[in-house]
Amino acid sequence: MKKFLFALLLWGAALTAWAQGSAVLDQVKADPRRSYGNDYPYPQRTVALTKAPRGYKPFYISHYGRHGSRYYWNNRLYRDLDSLLTKAHALHVLTPEGEAFRTRFMAAKDELAACVSELSQLGWDQHQFIARTMYNSFPDVFRKGGDVLAISSLSGRCVLSMASFCQELVQCNPKIEIREQSSRTTLDGVVPDDNQNPHKRKYPKSKPRFEENRDKFQFHDTLRDKVIARVFTSTEGLPGNMHSIASNLINLYTSLPSIGHEGMMGNIITDEEMVEQWENSNLGSYSWVFGPRYETIPILRDILNKADNVINGTTHRLADLRFGHDSYLGPLTVLLGINGADRDPEDPYEVKNCYQNWQTGKAGNIQLVFYRGKKKGQDILVKCLLNGCEASLPVPTDNFPYYKWEDFKKFYTDRCDRNDGQ
C-alpha cells in the first residue's frame, strides 16, 4: 500500500509539472511575441488585482524597471546586415523575398544607424502607460501628492524612460514632486557593477544546475537554415559565417516591433517559428540571469533600506523609482525568487516553469507595494507585482499575495548577508 501511495504521489507530481509546462507554452502561443524573450515589447494592458485586506491601504511603492523599447543596442547589427545585403545584391544571390527585404532595409538604414540604442516612441509610451497604471491602481499612495525619488543608469534610454514615467505621474497629479537623478553616486541602486560605480564590488557567480543535464533537452534548430534559404540562393562569397548571419536576421526580426518597422522582413521569419524555438532560447536566458544574480544585492539592499526609512518615518517619500537594464532586472527577479525564479531546477524541461524570459522584456518592471493598517501596531504588508501582475515570493505567508514586511525584510536581509560581495 505504501509503495502504491508513493507511486501515486510521484505520478501526481509529474502530472502537475506537465500541466505547468503546458500552461507556460500555451501562454507563448497565445501571444507569440513572448517568444522574442527580452525583446518582448511591454504589453499595455491592465489586470485585476486582489483587494487589500480589510482596513489596509497602500502608502509607498518601490520599483525597478527596465528602459522601454529601443533600437538595437549596438551598431554592429545594422552595419553587418548593410554589408551583407549589399554584397549579396552585388553577387545576385538574393531570393525575390531577400531582394524585397533588402529594399525595405536600405530605405530605413539611415534611421537605424542614427538611432542605435536610443529609446523609441513605443518605449516612451510604455513608461507613460506603466506610470498611469500605477497611479490609477494605487490612488491612496499619490492622491495627496508628496515626494518621489527617481534614479537611473547613465544610459540615455534609461534617463528618457525615467523622464517619461515621471512626467506622466506629475500629469496625473501636479502635487507630486519628483527628484530625478542619473549619477555615479546612485549607481548601486540601478546598475551596481557599472565600471563608473565608486562602490562597485565583486560577487560570487554560479551556473544553474540544469546545465549539467542540458544534453537531455531535445531540440533541433531548423530555423536558421530556413532563414538562410529564404534570403539567399547561395552564401558563397558572403561576409560572416552562416550562424552569425542567421542570428543577425533573427535579432533584427525580434527588434522590429519596438521601433515601428514590423513587416520589414516579410515572411522570412514567422512568429510561429519563433514560438517553436522559445523553450530552447529560454534556457539560455535562464543561465544568463541566474549566474550574476548576486550582483543585484546592492539593488535589493537599496530597496530594503529605503523602504525601512519610509516605514520608520526617516523619509516621507511616496515612491522610489529605479530605471535600469534587463541585465539587472532579470538577475534581480532570480535573487528575489519571483514566481519561483530562484528554484534552480536540475531538469532543463522544468526551467520554463520558474522563469520566462519575456518577463525581462522591454519596460519590464518589479513593483513592491506597501500597505499600512488603520489600527496602531498592525503589521506592514507588502505585495509584489511583476509587469503589473501579482507575483509570489519565497517568503512564508498565509495571506498571498500579501507578505508581512518584517518577514520580507528578514528573509532578504539574510539572503543578502549570505552572499555579499567583497
Side-chain angles (χ1 to χ4, degrees):
M1 186 60 154
K2 288 182 178 179
K3 289 183 178 180
F4 172 75
L5 290 174
F6 181 67
L8 191 62
L9 286 171
L10 288 178
W11 178 81
L15 186 63
T16 299
W18 176 85
Q20 289 174 334
S22 296
V24 170
L25 295 176
D26 286 344
Q27 290 179 58
V28 184
K29 293 174 183 176
D31 184 355
R33 286 185 177 173
R34 284 177 169 150
S35 67
Y36 298 4
N38 67 355
D39 263 348
Y40 180 54
Y42 191 85
Q44 296 185 45
R45 54 177 178 255
T46 57
V47 299
L49 300 177
T50 304
K51 188 176 180 180
R54 187 172 181 178
Y56 275 85
K57 288 186 177 181
F59 66 94
Y60 170 69
I61 298 174
S62 189
H63 153 281
Y64 188 98
R66 184 190 179 191
H67 59 75
S69 285
R70 50 138 172 83
Y71 289 79
Y72 200 73
W73 65 279
N74 69 43
N75 64 5
R76 187 173 60 249
L77 176 69
Y78 302 139
R79 185 187 62 225
D80 288 356
L81 286 173
D82 186 4
S83 298
L84 172 70
L85 294 171
T86 299
K87 182 72 171 180
H89 176 70
L91 293 175
H92 305 287
V93 294
L94 286 170
T95 65
E97 196 163 22
E99 279 288 2
F101 162 50
R102 185 195 73 84
T103 299
R104 290 189 289 265
F105 178 85
M106 293 303 173
K109 77 170 187 176
D110 288 345
E111 173 195 342
L112 302 180
C115 297
V116 167
S117 84
E118 292 182 359
L119 193 75
S120 67
Q121 181 62 51
L122 178 59
W124 178 272
D125 295 343
Q126 288 162 343
H127 279 284
Q128 293 212 315
F129 172 83
I130 295 166
R132 184 165 289 274
T133 301
M134 178 188 286
Y135 183 89
N136 290 336
S137 298
F138 309 105
D140 290 311
V141 174
F142 300 105
R143 185 178 291 121
K144 294 181 181 179
D147 294 334
V148 171
L149 176 63
I151 61 176
S152 163
S153 84
L154 304 179
S155 165
R157 58 185 177 272
C158 292
V159 173
L160 285 176
S161 294
M162 174 175 66
S164 169
F165 194 108
C166 295
Q167 182 184 98
E168 187 69 11
L169 271 186
V170 175
Q171 287 287 326
C172 291
N173 184 354
K175 292 181 181 179
I176 298 174
E177 295 281 345
I178 304 180
R179 167 78 163 98
E180 298 178 40
Q181 192 169 7
S182 176
S183 165
R184 287 184 292 274
T185 62
T186 57
L187 289 178
D188 249 10
V190 277
V191 286
D193 70 342
D194 189 299
N195 287 331
Q196 298 185 70
N197 182 8
H199 309 295
K200 180 180 177 181
R201 305 170 73 184
K202 290 184 178 180
Y203 290 85
K205 292 186 179 182
S206 61
K207 292 182 178 180
R209 294 187 298 172
F210 88 85
E211 289 285 12
E212 294 294 325
N213 303 306
R214 185 78 179 252
D215 58 346
K216 295 180 180 178
F217 183 80
Q218 300 298 314
F219 176 72
H220 301 289
D221 185 3
T222 60
L223 179 57
R224 283 176 169 77
D225 290 339
K226 290 177 181 177
V227 169
I228 294 294
R230 289 168 185 164
V231 178
F232 309 102
T233 58
S234 169
T235 56
E236 187 173 348
L238 297 181
N241 60 58
M242 295 307 98
H243 183 84
S244 65
I245 290 173
S247 294
N248 280 345
L249 290 168
I250 293 170
N251 287 337
L252 179 68
Y253 178 79
T254 60
S255 72
L256 293 176
S258 284
I259 58 175
H261 282 289
E262 301 97 321
M264 178 189 285
M265 298 182 70
N267 293 315
I268 290 170
I269 305 171
T270 68
D271 279 355
E272 290 72 25
E273 290 169 333
M274 292 298 299
V275 168
E276 290 174 1
Q277 61 84 53
W278 172 77
E279 187 170 359
N280 180 66
S281 70
N282 190 61
L283 291 178
S285 295
Y286 191 58
S287 291
W288 178 66
V289 300
F290 186 91
R293 63 199 183 282
Y294 296 131
E295 291 179 0
T296 62
I297 283 176
I299 300 175
L300 181 49
R301 289 198 186 278
D302 187 68
I303 290 170
L304 294 171
N305 292 338
K306 286 178 177 175
D308 230 6
N309 288 339
V310 171
I311 291 166
N312 294 334
T314 306
T315 60
H316 300 281
R317 281 199 288 270
L318 310 178
D320 278 289
L321 310 173
R322 303 165 186 84
F323 297 87
H325 303 262
D326 55 339
S327 49
Y328 301 91
L329 176 63
L332 181 61
T333 300
V334 178
L335 182 65
L336 288 167
I338 298 176
N339 291 337
D342 60 345
R343 278 168 39 201
D344 191 15
E346 294 183 3
D347 182 357
Y349 287 98
E350 183 62 21
V351 170
K352 63 180 174 293
N353 297 325
C354 62
Y355 177 77
Q356 303 87 36
N357 55 9
W358 72 74
Q359 302 285 16
T360 313
K362 304 294 173 54
N365 62 91
I366 297 167
Q367 297 175 29
L368 297 169
V369 187
F370 290 75
Y371 294 76
R372 181 180 281 129
K374 290 182 179 179
K375 297 179 181 178
K376 188 175 181 180
Q378 283 185 295
D379 293 312
I380 299 293
L381 302 180
V382 58
K383 172 168 69 176
C384 177
L385 302 182
L386 179 62
N387 298 322
C389 299
E390 291 170 342
S392 66
L393 300 170
V395 181
T397 183
D398 56 4
N399 192 24
F400 178 82
Y402 300 95
Y403 299 83
K404 293 180 181 179
W405 164 243
E406 289 304 320
D407 295 339
F408 181 102
K409 181 172 70 170
K410 183 180 186 310
F411 182 92
Y412 288 116
T413 298
D414 289 347
R415 179 165 284 191
C416 290
D417 289 345
R418 287 195 306 270
N419 302 285
D420 214 347
Q422 299 182 11

